[in-house]
Amino acid sequence: MDFLPSLPTLLAFAAATLLLAATPGPDMTLSISRALAQGKKAALFVVVGTSLGIVVHTMLVAFGISALITASPTAFLILKTGGAAYLLWLAVQAIRFGSKLTVAKVEEQKGTALSNISSGFWVNLLNPKVIIFFMTFLPQFVSAGDPAVTQKLLFLGFCFILIGMPVNASVVFAADWLASWLQNNKKVLRGMDYTFAGVFSIFAAKILLTQSR
């Protein structure tokens, strides 16, 4: 099965994905807000929608990056270098500004399953940070000379979803407690920020050092 990454690569990817899924962002804020306002069932539909948004990003990156490699391995090298720089920038931003989770329990009109899925889908699909991140994160785990690069990118993208969905669902089920606890325990959020910064600094350094050889 050529599409399977090496075990160390897969473990590193899984660890990074878990960290990302646990870090507060627009998708987590939306799912918690929807759970508080409309109930856990509505919020779970939001999680389905955010995952569908990641499916689209996965497809675009997998086929776009593989086309880029075919056209110009040098361009792919530049993309990965830029991606490493972006991950380093994210690490710096995490330390400087930190994670924010501001959730207010606002009563909303009950939405349909489709409307909640749509909300989650668009919040991920049209978020520029998600677009840029996915374009720079996934390529860190493949090499330009790999003949199965498309399959590996697709596999990693769907692993991202499979790992992230249970985390997001757990956030929904614990929404009442989690929203209050995170907002009242700023040190925990700062600890997540430093962990996030450390992990992605390591990824950035690894790819930059590898390319400099």
Side-chain angles (χ1 to χ4, degrees):
M1 292 187 286
D2 294 336
F3 65 88
L4 289 176
S6 65
L7 183 59
T9 297
L10 194 56
L11 290 175
F13 180 81
T17 299
L18 278 172
L19 177 61
L20 276 171
T23 301
D27 52 347
M28 183 182 290
T29 300
L30 177 62
S31 60
I32 291 178
S33 297
R34 198 59 54 91
L36 295 178
Q38 297 185 21
K40 293 178 174 57
K41 183 177 179 180
L44 289 174
F45 281 120
V46 169
V47 171
V48 171
T50 57
S51 299
L52 290 175
I54 297 299
V55 170
V56 175
H57 287 306
T58 296
M59 301 294 286
L60 291 174
V61 170
F63 292 103
I65 296 299
S66 60
L68 180 64
I69 292 174
T70 303
S72 174
T74 301
F76 179 65
L77 181 64
I78 293 171
L79 175 67
K80 289 188 76 172
T81 303
Y86 179 68
L87 294 179
L88 193 57
W89 180 81
L90 285 179
V92 172
Q93 294 297 99
I95 297 299
R96 289 184 63 195
F97 301 109
S99 302
K100 294 179 177 63
L101 183 70
T102 304
V103 180
K105 186 174 182 178
V106 179
E107 292 300 327
E108 302 173 356
Q109 184 178 0
K110 291 287 184 180
T112 63
L114 185 59
S115 68
N116 283 311
I117 290 173
S118 178
S119 295
F121 177 77
W122 290 111
V123 79
N124 260 357
L125 190 67
L126 299 181
N127 186 337
K129 289 185 178 180
V130 175
I131 296 169
I132 296 171
F133 181 80
F134 234 67
M135 285 182 61
T136 56
F137 178 65
L138 285 186
Q140 309 302 317
F141 298 90
V142 298
S143 60
D146 194 331
V149 65
T150 303
Q151 294 93 323
K152 282 187 177 176
L153 286 169
L154 287 170
F155 177 80
L156 290 171
F158 284 102
C159 280
F160 188 97
I161 295 168
L162 290 175
I163 294 170
M165 279 193 77
V167 176
N168 294 329
S170 299
V171 167
V172 168
F173 285 115
D176 293 281
W177 171 81
L178 189 62
S180 175
W181 189 78
L182 283 176
Q183 291 181 91
N184 292 326
N185 289 271
K186 303 299 184 184
K187 289 184 179 179
V188 174
L189 284 177
R190 286 307 286 161
M192 292 172 67
D193 293 331
Y194 279 99
T195 304
F196 179 96
V199 169
F200 285 99
S201 294
I202 290 170
F203 278 133
K206 179 178 178 295
I207 193 65
L208 289 172
L209 290 172
T210 300
Q211 290 175 4
S212 66
R213 289 173 188 164

